[in-house]
PDB file of all heavy atoms in Angstrom:
ATOM      1  N   GLY A 220       0.061  10.935  12.550  1.00 87.00           N
ATOM      2  CA  GLY A 220       1.429  10.136  12.710  1.00 87.00           C
ATOM      3  C   GLY A 220       1.375   8.742  12.412  1.00 87.00           C
ATOM      4  O   GLY A 220       2.073   7.997  13.061  1.00 87.00           O
ATOM      5  N   GLN A 221       0.529   8.288  11.684  1.00 88.00           N
ATOM      6  CA  GLN A 221       0.353   6.809  11.341  1.00 88.00           C
ATOM      7  C   GLN A 221       1.065   6.368  10.079  1.00 88.00           C
ATOM      8  O   GLN A 221       0.828   5.254   9.668  1.00 88.00           O
ATOM      9  CB  GLN A 221      -1.087   6.332  11.333  1.00 88.00           C
ATOM     10  CG  GLN A 221      -1.785   6.574  12.765  1.00 88.00           C
ATOM     11  CD  GLN A 221      -3.163   6.053  12.748  1.00 88.00           C
ATOM     12  OE1 GLN A 221      -3.432   4.872  12.838  1.00 88.00           O
ATOM     13  NE2 GLN A 221      -4.139   7.071  12.799  1.00 88.00           N
ATOM     14  N   THR A 222       1.612   7.279   9.344  1.00 85.00           N
ATOM     15  CA  THR A 222       2.395   6.877   8.102  1.00 85.00           C
ATOM     16  C   THR A 222       3.399   7.929   7.791  1.00 85.00           C
ATOM     17  O   THR A 222       3.354   9.052   8.175  1.00 85.00           O
ATOM     18  CB  THR A 222       1.394   6.852   6.772  1.00 85.00           C
ATOM     19  OG1 THR A 222       2.092   6.465   5.804  1.00 85.00           O
ATOM     20  CG2 THR A 222       0.819   8.300   6.620  1.00 85.00           C
ATOM     21  N   ALA A 223       4.516   7.349   7.247  1.00 81.00           N
ATOM     22  CA  ALA A 223       5.613   8.300   6.858  1.00 81.00           C
ATOM     23  C   ALA A 223       5.486   8.688   5.385  1.00 81.00           C
ATOM     24  O   ALA A 223       6.395   9.454   5.011  1.00 81.00           O
ATOM     25  CB  ALA A 223       6.912   7.406   7.066  1.00 81.00           C
ATOM     26  N   LEU A 224       4.527   8.163   4.753  1.00 86.00           N
ATOM     27  CA  LEU A 224       4.367   8.623   3.307  1.00 86.00           C
ATOM     28  C   LEU A 224       3.978  10.124   3.257  1.00 86.00           C
ATOM     29  O   LEU A 224       3.311  10.600   4.139  1.00 86.00           O
ATOM     30  CB  LEU A 224       3.285   7.703   2.681  1.00 86.00           C
ATOM     31  CG  LEU A 224       3.668   6.210   2.422  1.00 86.00           C
ATOM     32  CD1 LEU A 224       2.539   5.498   1.836  1.00 86.00           C
ATOM     33  CD2 LEU A 224       4.775   6.101   1.405  1.00 86.00           C
ATOM     34  N   SER A 225       4.377  10.748   2.080  1.00 82.00           N
ATOM     35  CA  SER A 225       4.056  12.101   1.897  1.00 82.00           C
ATOM     36  C   SER A 225       2.559  12.102   1.583  1.00 82.00           C
ATOM     37  O   SER A 225       1.954  11.167   1.028  1.00 82.00           O
ATOM     38  CB  SER A 225       4.972  12.716   0.705  1.00 82.00           C
ATOM     39  OG  SER A 225       4.259  13.815   0.191  1.00 82.00           O
ATOM     40  N   GLN A 226       1.919  13.322   1.793  1.00 78.00           N
ATOM     41  CA  GLN A 226       0.424  13.476   1.538  1.00 78.00           C
ATOM     42  C   GLN A 226       0.173  13.510   0.105  1.00 78.00           C
ATOM     43  O   GLN A 226      -0.855  13.209  -0.389  1.00 78.00           O
ATOM     44  CB  GLN A 226       0.028  14.720   2.127  1.00 78.00           C
ATOM     45  CG  GLN A 226       0.006  14.883   3.584  1.00 78.00           C
ATOM     46  CD  GLN A 226      -0.434  16.147   4.218  1.00 78.00           C
ATOM     47  OE1 GLN A 226      -1.016  16.913   3.562  1.00 78.00           O
ATOM     48  NE2 GLN A 226      -0.032  16.517   5.445  1.00 78.00           N
ATOM     49  N   ARG A 227       1.170  13.758  -0.844  1.00 79.00           N
ATOM     50  CA  ARG A 227       1.136  13.767  -2.181  1.00 79.00           C
ATOM     51  C   ARG A 227       1.800  12.534  -2.815  1.00 79.00           C
ATOM     52  O   ARG A 227       2.327  12.675  -3.997  1.00 79.00           O
ATOM     53  CB  ARG A 227       1.583  15.000  -2.818  1.00 79.00           C
ATOM     54  CG  ARG A 227       0.742  16.227  -2.220  1.00 79.00           C
ATOM     55  CD  ARG A 227       0.669  17.334  -3.313  1.00 79.00           C
ATOM     56  NE  ARG A 227      -0.295  18.420  -3.005  1.00 79.00           N
ATOM     57  CZ  ARG A 227      -0.682  19.370  -3.798  1.00 79.00           C
ATOM     58  NH1 ARG A 227      -0.371  19.298  -5.077  1.00 79.00           N
ATOM     59  NH2 ARG A 227      -1.645  20.341  -3.535  1.00 79.00           N
ATOM     60  N   SER A 228       1.950  11.466  -2.139  1.00 84.00           N
ATOM     61  CA  SER A 228       2.498  10.341  -2.741  1.00 84.00           C
ATOM     62  C   SER A 228       1.791   9.840  -4.003  1.00 84.00           C
ATOM     63  O   SER A 228       0.514   9.895  -3.978  1.00 84.00           O
ATOM     64  CB  SER A 228       2.567   9.122  -1.700  1.00 84.00           C
ATOM     65  OG  SER A 228       3.397   9.529  -0.562  1.00 84.00           O
ATOM     66  N   SER A 229       2.582   9.369  -4.928  1.00 88.00           N
ATOM     67  CA  SER A 229       1.988   8.881  -6.146  1.00 88.00           C
ATOM     68  C   SER A 229       1.363   7.480  -5.988  1.00 88.00           C
ATOM     69  O   SER A 229       1.697   6.835  -4.934  1.00 88.00           O
ATOM     70  CB  SER A 229       2.985   8.868  -7.259  1.00 88.00           C
ATOM     71  OG  SER A 229       3.995   7.796  -6.972  1.00 88.00           O
ATOM     72  N   THR A 230       0.617   7.039  -6.924  1.00 90.00           N
ATOM     73  CA  THR A 230       0.031   5.818  -6.889  1.00 90.00           C
ATOM     74  C   THR A 230       1.145   4.574  -6.761  1.00 90.00           C
ATOM     75  O   THR A 230       0.934   3.694  -5.953  1.00 90.00           O
ATOM     76  CB  THR A 230      -0.861   5.466  -8.209  1.00 90.00           C
ATOM     77  OG1 THR A 230      -1.760   6.498  -8.332  1.00 90.00           O
ATOM     78  CG2 THR A 230      -1.364   4.134  -8.320  1.00 90.00           C
ATOM     79  N   TRP A 231       2.296   4.765  -7.647  1.00 91.00           N
ATOM     80  CA  TRP A 231       3.291   3.869  -7.531  1.00 91.00           C
ATOM     81  C   TRP A 231       4.050   3.788  -6.279  1.00 91.00           C
ATOM     82  O   TRP A 231       4.388   2.703  -5.754  1.00 91.00           O
ATOM     83  CB  TRP A 231       4.244   4.169  -8.737  1.00 91.00           C
ATOM     84  CG  TRP A 231       5.366   3.294  -8.647  1.00 91.00           C
ATOM     85  CD1 TRP A 231       6.754   3.610  -8.529  1.00 91.00           C
ATOM     86  CD2 TRP A 231       5.435   1.848  -8.925  1.00 91.00           C
ATOM     87  NE1 TRP A 231       7.570   2.490  -8.574  1.00 91.00           N
ATOM     88  CE2 TRP A 231       6.803   1.422  -8.791  1.00 91.00           C
ATOM     89  CE3 TRP A 231       4.492   0.947  -9.110  1.00 91.00           C
ATOM     90  CZ2 TRP A 231       7.091   0.060  -8.901  1.00 91.00           C
ATOM     91  CZ3 TRP A 231       4.848  -0.381  -9.152  1.00 91.00           C
ATOM     92  CH2 TRP A 231       6.087  -0.809  -9.099  1.00 91.00           C
ATOM     93  N   THR A 232       4.082   4.975  -5.549  1.00 92.00           N
ATOM     94  CA  THR A 232       4.797   5.057  -4.345  1.00 92.00           C
ATOM     95  C   THR A 232       3.958   4.159  -3.245  1.00 92.00           C
ATOM     96  O   THR A 232       4.525   3.570  -2.460  1.00 92.00           O
ATOM     97  CB  THR A 232       4.829   6.484  -3.833  1.00 92.00           C
ATOM     98  OG1 THR A 232       5.612   7.285  -4.774  1.00 92.00           O
ATOM     99  CG2 THR A 232       5.538   6.493  -2.375  1.00 92.00           C
ATOM    100  N   VAL A 233       2.682   4.352  -3.311  1.00 92.00           N
ATOM    101  CA  VAL A 233       1.771   3.621  -2.300  1.00 92.00           C
ATOM    102  C   VAL A 233       1.734   2.081  -2.624  1.00 92.00           C
ATOM    103  O   VAL A 233       1.843   1.300  -1.725  1.00 92.00           O
ATOM    104  CB  VAL A 233       0.227   4.200  -2.394  1.00 92.00           C
ATOM    105  CG1 VAL A 233      -0.649   3.291  -1.565  1.00 92.00           C
ATOM    106  CG2 VAL A 233       0.316   5.630  -1.965  1.00 92.00           C
ATOM    107  N   ILE A 234       1.721   1.842  -3.915  1.00 93.00           N
ATOM    108  CA  ILE A 234       1.860   0.422  -4.368  1.00 93.00           C
ATOM    109  C   ILE A 234       3.209  -0.189  -3.741  1.00 93.00           C
ATOM    110  O   ILE A 234       3.148  -1.442  -3.166  1.00 93.00           O
ATOM    111  CB  ILE A 234       1.804   0.189  -5.814  1.00 93.00           C
ATOM    112  CG1 ILE A 234       0.280   0.514  -6.271  1.00 93.00           C
ATOM    113  CG2 ILE A 234       2.159  -1.272  -6.265  1.00 93.00           C
ATOM    114  CD1 ILE A 234       0.141   0.695  -7.757  1.00 93.00           C
ATOM    115  N   LYS A 235       4.339   0.432  -4.062  1.00 94.00           N
ATOM    116  CA  LYS A 235       5.654   0.006  -3.599  1.00 94.00           C
ATOM    117  C   LYS A 235       5.716  -0.200  -2.201  1.00 94.00           C
ATOM    118  O   LYS A 235       6.249  -1.118  -1.568  1.00 94.00           O
ATOM    119  CB  LYS A 235       6.615   0.957  -4.147  1.00 94.00           C
ATOM    120  CG  LYS A 235       8.051   0.392  -4.258  1.00 94.00           C
ATOM    121  CD  LYS A 235       8.953   1.269  -5.108  1.00 94.00           C
ATOM    122  CE  LYS A 235       8.930   2.761  -4.617  1.00 94.00           C
ATOM    123  NZ  LYS A 235      10.047   3.498  -5.275  1.00 94.00           N
ATOM    124  N   ALA A 236       5.110   0.717  -1.411  1.00 92.00           N
ATOM    125  CA  ALA A 236       5.221   0.753   0.031  1.00 92.00           C
ATOM    126  C   ALA A 236       4.454  -0.605   0.572  1.00 92.00           C
ATOM    127  O   ALA A 236       4.815  -1.226   1.514  1.00 92.00           O
ATOM    128  CB  ALA A 236       4.523   1.984   0.708  1.00 92.00           C
ATOM    129  N   ILE A 237       3.167  -0.841   0.036  1.00 93.00           N
ATOM    130  CA  ILE A 237       2.366  -1.992   0.295  1.00 93.00           C
ATOM    131  C   ILE A 237       3.266  -3.308   0.065  1.00 93.00           C
ATOM    132  O   ILE A 237       3.384  -4.193   0.925  1.00 93.00           O
ATOM    133  CB  ILE A 237       1.093  -1.999  -0.398  1.00 93.00           C
ATOM    134  CG1 ILE A 237       0.199  -0.898  -0.049  1.00 93.00           C
ATOM    135  CG2 ILE A 237       0.427  -3.304  -0.196  1.00 93.00           C
ATOM    136  CD1 ILE A 237      -0.976  -0.695  -0.906  1.00 93.00           C
ATOM    137  N   PHE A 238       3.899  -3.320  -1.033  1.00 92.00           N
ATOM    138  CA  PHE A 238       4.557  -4.542  -1.560  1.00 92.00           C
ATOM    139  C   PHE A 238       5.753  -4.743  -0.537  1.00 92.00           C
ATOM    140  O   PHE A 238       6.112  -6.002  -0.074  1.00 92.00           O
ATOM    141  CB  PHE A 238       5.071  -4.413  -2.990  1.00 92.00           C
ATOM    142  CG  PHE A 238       5.618  -5.829  -3.470  1.00 92.00           C
ATOM    143  CD1 PHE A 238       4.787  -6.702  -3.929  1.00 92.00           C
ATOM    144  CD2 PHE A 238       6.980  -5.919  -3.646  1.00 92.00           C
ATOM    145  CE1 PHE A 238       5.348  -7.924  -4.511  1.00 92.00           C
ATOM    146  CE2 PHE A 238       7.471  -7.108  -4.031  1.00 92.00           C
ATOM    147  CZ  PHE A 238       6.592  -8.077  -4.492  1.00 92.00           C
ATOM    148  N   GLN A 239       6.433  -3.629  -0.275  1.00 92.00           N
ATOM    149  CA  GLN A 239       7.709  -3.780   0.562  1.00 92.00           C
ATOM    150  C   GLN A 239       7.394  -4.173   1.993  1.00 92.00           C
ATOM    151  O   GLN A 239       8.178  -4.926   2.756  1.00 92.00           O
ATOM    152  CB  GLN A 239       8.414  -2.418   0.653  1.00 92.00           C
ATOM    153  CG  GLN A 239       9.129  -2.205  -0.776  1.00 92.00           C
ATOM    154  CD  GLN A 239       9.859  -0.938  -0.955  1.00 92.00           C
ATOM    155  OE1 GLN A 239       9.551   0.075  -0.058  1.00 92.00           O
ATOM    156  NE2 GLN A 239      10.667  -0.616  -1.936  1.00 92.00           N
ATOM    157  N   SER A 240       6.366  -3.658   2.542  1.00 90.00           N
ATOM    158  CA  SER A 240       5.983  -3.776   4.061  1.00 90.00           C
ATOM    159  C   SER A 240       5.020  -5.020   4.336  1.00 90.00           C
ATOM    160  O   SER A 240       5.127  -5.658   5.376  1.00 90.00           O
ATOM    161  CB  SER A 240       5.416  -2.541   4.682  1.00 90.00           C
ATOM    162  OG  SER A 240       4.152  -2.264   3.998  1.00 90.00           O
ATOM    163  N   GLU A 241       4.172  -5.389   3.301  1.00 90.00           N
ATOM    164  CA  GLU A 241       3.205  -6.374   3.563  1.00 90.00           C
ATOM    165  C   GLU A 241       3.247  -7.612   2.519  1.00 90.00           C
ATOM    166  O   GLU A 241       2.678  -8.494   2.713  1.00 90.00           O
ATOM    167  CB  GLU A 241       1.866  -5.854   3.564  1.00 90.00           C
ATOM    168  CG  GLU A 241       1.738  -4.645   4.403  1.00 90.00           C
ATOM    169  CD  GLU A 241       0.342  -3.778   4.241  1.00 90.00           C
ATOM    170  OE1 GLU A 241      -0.751  -4.389   4.186  1.00 90.00           O
ATOM    171  OE2 GLU A 241       0.562  -2.630   3.976  1.00 90.00           O
ATOM    172  N   GLY A 242       4.102  -7.491   1.503  1.00 91.00           N
ATOM    173  CA  GLY A 242       4.140  -8.355   0.459  1.00 91.00           C
ATOM    174  C   GLY A 242       2.951  -8.505  -0.441  1.00 91.00           C
ATOM    175  O   GLY A 242       2.033  -7.764  -0.247  1.00 91.00           O
ATOM    176  N   PRO A 243       2.918  -9.446  -1.369  1.00 91.00           N
ATOM    177  CA  PRO A 243       1.733  -9.560  -2.321  1.00 91.00           C
ATOM    178  C   PRO A 243       0.367  -9.741  -1.562  1.00 91.00           C
ATOM    179  O   PRO A 243      -0.551  -9.145  -2.084  1.00 91.00           O
ATOM    180  CB  PRO A 243       2.134 -10.825  -3.120  1.00 91.00           C
ATOM    181  CG  PRO A 243       3.539 -10.962  -3.048  1.00 91.00           C
ATOM    182  CD  PRO A 243       3.966 -10.411  -1.592  1.00 91.00           C
ATOM    183  N   LEU A 244       0.323 -10.471  -0.497  1.00 91.00           N
ATOM    184  CA  LEU A 244      -0.888 -10.620   0.167  1.00 91.00           C
ATOM    185  C   LEU A 244      -1.359  -9.372   0.777  1.00 91.00           C
ATOM    186  O   LEU A 244      -2.660  -9.287   1.113  1.00 91.00           O
ATOM    187  CB  LEU A 244      -0.793 -11.745   1.174  1.00 91.00           C
ATOM    188  CG  LEU A 244      -0.652 -13.210   0.680  1.00 91.00           C
ATOM    189  CD1 LEU A 244      -0.537 -14.212   1.801  1.00 91.00           C
ATOM    190  CD2 LEU A 244      -1.693 -13.598  -0.299  1.00 91.00           C
ATOM    191  N   GLY A 245      -0.517  -8.445   1.044  1.00 91.00           N
ATOM    192  CA  GLY A 245      -0.919  -7.131   1.565  1.00 91.00           C
ATOM    193  C   GLY A 245      -2.046  -6.422   0.771  1.00 91.00           C
ATOM    194  O   GLY A 245      -2.756  -5.633   1.281  1.00 91.00           O
ATOM    195  N   PHE A 246      -1.940  -6.690  -0.526  1.00 93.00           N
ATOM    196  CA  PHE A 246      -3.042  -6.067  -1.408  1.00 93.00           C
ATOM    197  C   PHE A 246      -4.404  -6.605  -1.242  1.00 93.00           C
ATOM    198  O   PHE A 246      -5.339  -5.952  -1.635  1.00 93.00           O
ATOM    199  CB  PHE A 246      -2.528  -6.227  -2.896  1.00 93.00           C
ATOM    200  CG  PHE A 246      -1.276  -5.426  -3.226  1.00 93.00           C
ATOM    201  CD1 PHE A 246      -0.090  -6.050  -3.292  1.00 93.00           C
ATOM    202  CD2 PHE A 246      -1.526  -4.085  -3.565  1.00 93.00           C
ATOM    203  CE1 PHE A 246       1.024  -5.345  -3.676  1.00 93.00           C
ATOM    204  CE2 PHE A 246      -0.252  -3.392  -3.915  1.00 93.00           C
ATOM    205  CZ  PHE A 246       0.859  -3.945  -3.828  1.00 93.00           C
ATOM    206  N   PHE A 247      -4.515  -7.739  -0.504  1.00 94.00           N
ATOM    207  CA  PHE A 247      -5.909  -8.271  -0.289  1.00 94.00           C
ATOM    208  C   PHE A 247      -6.359  -8.015   1.109  1.00 94.00           C
ATOM    209  O   PHE A 247      -7.319  -8.684   1.555  1.00 94.00           O
ATOM    210  CB  PHE A 247      -5.840  -9.762  -0.542  1.00 94.00           C
ATOM    211  CG  PHE A 247      -5.645  -9.945  -2.131  1.00 94.00           C
ATOM    212  CD1 PHE A 247      -4.376 -10.121  -2.657  1.00 94.00           C
ATOM    213  CD2 PHE A 247      -6.748  -9.954  -2.912  1.00 94.00           C
ATOM    214  CE1 PHE A 247      -4.298 -10.293  -4.043  1.00 94.00           C
ATOM    215  CE2 PHE A 247      -6.668 -10.182  -4.317  1.00 94.00           C
ATOM    216  CZ  PHE A 247      -5.379 -10.431  -4.751  1.00 94.00           C
ATOM    217  N   GLN A 248      -5.818  -7.018   1.890  1.00 91.00           N
ATOM    218  CA  GLN A 248      -6.391  -6.552   3.165  1.00 91.00           C
ATOM    219  C   GLN A 248      -7.729  -6.082   2.796  1.00 91.00           C
ATOM    220  O   GLN A 248      -8.017  -5.264   2.053  1.00 91.00           O
ATOM    221  CB  GLN A 248      -5.547  -5.412   3.611  1.00 91.00           C
ATOM    222  CG  GLN A 248      -4.156  -5.859   4.294  1.00 91.00           C
ATOM    223  CD  GLN A 248      -4.349  -6.068   5.763  1.00 91.00           C
ATOM    224  OE1 GLN A 248      -5.307  -6.214   6.414  1.00 91.00           O
ATOM    225  NE2 GLN A 248      -3.058  -6.025   6.436  1.00 91.00           N
ATOM    226  N   GLY A 249      -8.669  -6.709   3.578  1.00 93.00           N
ATOM    227  CA  GLY A 249     -10.033  -6.227   3.526  1.00 93.00           C
ATOM    228  C   GLY A 249     -10.886  -7.051   2.511  1.00 93.00           C
ATOM    229  O   GLY A 249     -12.024  -6.755   2.017  1.00 93.00           O
ATOM    230  N   LEU A 250     -10.411  -8.134   2.003  1.00 94.00           N
ATOM    231  CA  LEU A 250     -11.111  -8.983   0.934  1.00 94.00           C
ATOM    232  C   LEU A 250     -12.285  -9.575   1.492  1.00 94.00           C
ATOM    233  O   LEU A 250     -13.261  -9.484   0.835  1.00 94.00           O
ATOM    234  CB  LEU A 250     -10.127 -10.135   0.423  1.00 94.00           C
ATOM    235  CG  LEU A 250     -10.850 -10.925  -0.645  1.00 94.00           C
ATOM    236  CD1 LEU A 250     -11.272 -10.230  -1.802  1.00 94.00           C
ATOM    237  CD2 LEU A 250      -9.856 -12.091  -1.074  1.00 94.00           C
ATOM    238  N   THR A 251     -12.252 -10.066   2.711  1.00 94.00           N
ATOM    239  CA  THR A 251     -13.495 -10.625   3.367  1.00 94.00           C
ATOM    240  C   THR A 251     -14.572  -9.568   3.530  1.00 94.00           C
ATOM    241  O   THR A 251     -15.837  -9.808   3.179  1.00 94.00           O
ATOM    242  CB  THR A 251     -13.245 -11.283   4.694  1.00 94.00           C
ATOM    243  OG1 THR A 251     -12.191 -12.300   4.613  1.00 94.00           O
ATOM    244  CG2 THR A 251     -14.463 -11.838   5.336  1.00 94.00           C
ATOM    245  N   SER A 252     -14.216  -8.395   3.865  1.00 95.00           N
ATOM    246  CA  SER A 252     -15.180  -7.289   3.940  1.00 95.00           C
ATOM    247  C   SER A 252     -15.732  -6.887   2.552  1.00 95.00           C
ATOM    248  O   SER A 252     -16.841  -6.499   2.550  1.00 95.00           O
ATOM    249  CB  SER A 252     -14.460  -6.104   4.682  1.00 95.00           C
ATOM    250  OG  SER A 252     -13.890  -6.460   5.912  1.00 95.00           O
ATOM    251  N   THR A 253     -14.753  -6.947   1.652  1.00 96.00           N
ATOM    252  CA  THR A 253     -15.268  -6.667   0.238  1.00 96.00           C
ATOM    253  C   THR A 253     -16.287  -7.556  -0.174  1.00 96.00           C
ATOM    254  O   THR A 253     -17.372  -7.234  -0.721  1.00 96.00           O
ATOM    255  CB  THR A 253     -14.057  -6.690  -0.660  1.00 96.00           C
ATOM    256  OG1 THR A 253     -13.051  -5.695  -0.223  1.00 96.00           O
ATOM    257  CG2 THR A 253     -14.507  -6.149  -2.072  1.00 96.00           C
TER     258      THR A 253
END
């Protein structure tokens, strides 16, 4: 119950969800760990 996305969401759907909820910097979550 931690996401509303479908289990078969496309790559573009996931990218769009990140951009809408977290903005451009959201794509760099975990950069320090990387």
Side-chain angles (χ1 to χ4, degrees):
Q221 298 184 72
T222 183
L224 290 174
S225 164
Q226 294 176 20
R227 295 209 170 196
S228 295
S229 67
T230 303
W231 176 242
T232 301
V233 174
I234 291 173
K235 200 162 53 172
I237 295 169
F238 191 80
Q239 290 174 345
S240 62
E241 303 165 58
L244 291 179
F246 289 97
F247 291 91
Q248 283 265 18
L250 178 59
T251 301
S252 303
T253 302

